[in-house]
Amino acid sequence: MGSAVLTALHELGGTLVAPVRTFVHRFPKDVKQPIISGIDADTDWTEVLSGIDVVVHCAARVHIMSESCLNPLSEFRKVNLDGTLALARQAAEMGVRRFVFVSTIKVNGELSREGVAFRHDDRPNPEDDYGLSKAEAEAALKELSSKTGMEVVVIRPPLVYGPGVKGNFARLISLAGSGIPLPFGAMKNARSFVALENLIDLIVLCIKHPKAAGEVFLVSDGESISTPSLIRKIAAAMGKRCWLIPFPEQIFRIGFILFGKQAVMDRLFGSLEVDITHTKDTLGWSPSVTLEQGLSRTVRKPGVDC
C-alpha cells in the first residue's frame, strides 16, 4: 500500500521522503529514500523528518495467520505501538504539523452485529493482538497530540483489495475463477471492503483537509455485500460462470470448529460492516470507485500494491 500512496502523492507535487530498508523500490528519482533498519522504539527518524510538514504512517506488523513467535503481542507492540510512537514523538519535536495514521477496523472488533455497522465513535473492542496493538497506538497518539499540538488523523480501513491483493481475498478470486461448484450459496452475512483507490483518495484528503485534525475516520466502498454475492461479482469481473450450492451453514460451522478454524469460519460467515457517514459528512468525501469497478481492476491488472 505504501508505494501506491507514494505514487498518488507524487502526482500532487512537493517534496516526498520514503524511508526504505533497501533500495529495491522503483520510486521516482526525485523521491528521497533514506534507509532505516526497521521500525521500533529505537529508530532514529531524523533524516526522514527534516523539513517535513505531514507524515503518513501506513507501515505495520500486520495480522499473521500462522503466528510462530512465542509472544505475538510483544512483537506487534514493538512495531505498531512503540515504533509508531517513536516516529510520532520525533515528528512532533521536529515541527511536523500533521500525523496521518492508517490503523485498522479491527480496533472496533472482529465482527459487527447483524444490521449494526461499526461507527467511528464506538468504544474500541479489539479481539486479537494486531488489533490491540493498533488500538494502543491510537490512544498513545491522541495523548501525544494533546501534549504537543501535532494534529493526528486516524483512518480505520476494513480489508483492502486491489491489484496484487494477497491472503484470503486472493484465495477467493482463485475460487471464483476456478469454475468449481462452491458450497457457499446459503451464506447471509454482510461485509464491507475498501478498494485501494478509495483508501488512497481518503488518505490524500486527510493530509490537507482542515476538519480532519483530531478525527477518526472509517472507510469503505460505501456498500456491504455477502460472501456469495462477492464471489458472483468477482466471477463476473473475470468473465467466468459461478456455481454456488446452498450448503447448510450449520454443517460448515461444526466442521470448522472441529478442525480449530474458528477464525476462518468467522471471516467466511460473519458480518463486518462499517458506517462511513461521519467520514462523508465531515470531509465531504465519497468513494470514487464502486465495488464493481474495484473488483474489475483487481482481477484484470497484475501488481503488488496491496
Side-chain angles (χ1 to χ4, degrees):
M1 182 174 67
S3 60
V5 173
L6 184 72
T7 299
L9 294 177
H10 187 261
E11 295 175 356
L12 299 178
T15 301
L16 293 177
V17 181
V20 295
R21 294 188 178 184
T22 61
F23 283 119
V24 298
H25 300 274
R26 297 179 179 178
F27 295 152
K29 292 182 178 180
D30 58 339
V31 175
K32 299 178 182 179
Q33 298 183 54
I35 295 179
I36 60 170
S37 59
I39 302 175
D40 57 32
D42 299 320
T43 305
D44 184 356
W45 296 97
T46 303
E47 184 181 359
V48 175
L49 296 169
S50 180
I52 295 299
D53 185 52
V54 177
V55 170
V56 177
H57 184 44
C58 52
R61 186 180 196 269
V62 299
H63 182 68
I64 298 173
M65 293 301 297
S66 299
E67 185 62 73
S68 59
C69 66
L70 296 178
N71 191 344
L73 179 56
S74 176
E75 295 302 312
F76 278 114
R77 281 174 169 161
K78 284 180 182 178
V79 177
N80 299 346
L81 174 58
D82 300 336
T84 296
L85 193 54
L87 172 59
R89 282 174 177 159
Q90 293 175 54
E93 291 170 359
M94 297 189 68
V96 169
R97 174 181 58 84
R98 179 171 291 186
F99 192 97
V100 180
F101 180 57
V102 181
S103 185
T104 173
I105 197 61
K106 283 176 170 285
V107 171
N108 289 68
E110 292 294 319
L111 299 173
S112 59
R113 290 179 292 153
E114 183 176 354
V116 182
F118 284 140
R119 289 173 46 87
H120 72 287
D121 54 359
D122 286 341
R123 183 177 180 178
N125 185 36
E127 298 178 37
D128 68 0
D129 295 335
Y130 170 61
L132 178 58
S133 67
K134 285 287 196 173
E136 291 173 340
E138 286 188 20
L141 288 173
K142 183 178 181 180
E143 182 179 357
L144 180 68
S145 177
S146 68
K147 292 179 179 179
T148 65
M150 182 177 69
E151 299 171 351
V152 170
V153 184
V154 173
I155 300 174
R156 295 179 190 163
L159 190 151
V160 182
Y161 68 95
V165 68
K166 299 177 177 64
N168 287 332
F169 207 95
R171 296 185 189 96
L172 211 56
I173 292 174
S174 179
L175 284 173
S178 67
I180 300 173
L182 303 172
F184 304 139
M187 294 184 188
K188 297 180 181 180
N189 60 345
R191 300 190 72 89
S192 297
F193 302 92
V194 62
L196 181 62
E197 296 98 321
N198 286 332
L199 176 56
I200 291 174
D201 186 48
L202 179 61
I203 291 173
V204 171
L205 184 59
C206 285
I207 289 174
K208 56 188 178 180
H209 200 295
K211 292 184 178 180
E215 295 288 348
V216 173
F217 296 116
L218 306 191
V219 59
S220 75
D221 292 335
E223 61 178 293
S224 298
I225 188 170
S226 67
T227 298
S229 293
L230 177 62
I231 293 173
R232 292 188 184 98
K233 286 182 181 293
I234 292 173
M238 300 173 74
K240 303 281 188 177
R241 296 192 66 180
C242 181
W243 305 90
L244 295 178
I245 301 170
F247 196 78
E249 182 177 322
Q250 192 61 31
I251 303 297
F252 264 122
R253 289 186 176 275
I254 293 173
F256 276 109
I257 291 173
L258 288 175
F259 284 98
K261 299 294 183 180
Q262 177 78 33
V264 176
M265 181 194 73
D266 288 340
R267 280 186 287 273
L268 278 173
F269 296 105
S271 293
L272 195 161
E273 296 184 86
V274 304
D275 182 346
I276 62 172
T277 302
H278 171 67
T279 305
K280 295 168 72 174
D281 290 348
T282 303
L283 303 177
W285 178 87
S286 60
S288 59
V289 174
T290 66
L291 178 65
E292 286 79 6
Q293 291 170 331
L295 291 175
S296 179
R297 296 175 187 181
T298 299
V299 302
R300 296 179 187 278
K301 292 183 180 181
V304 290
D305 291 335
C306 290

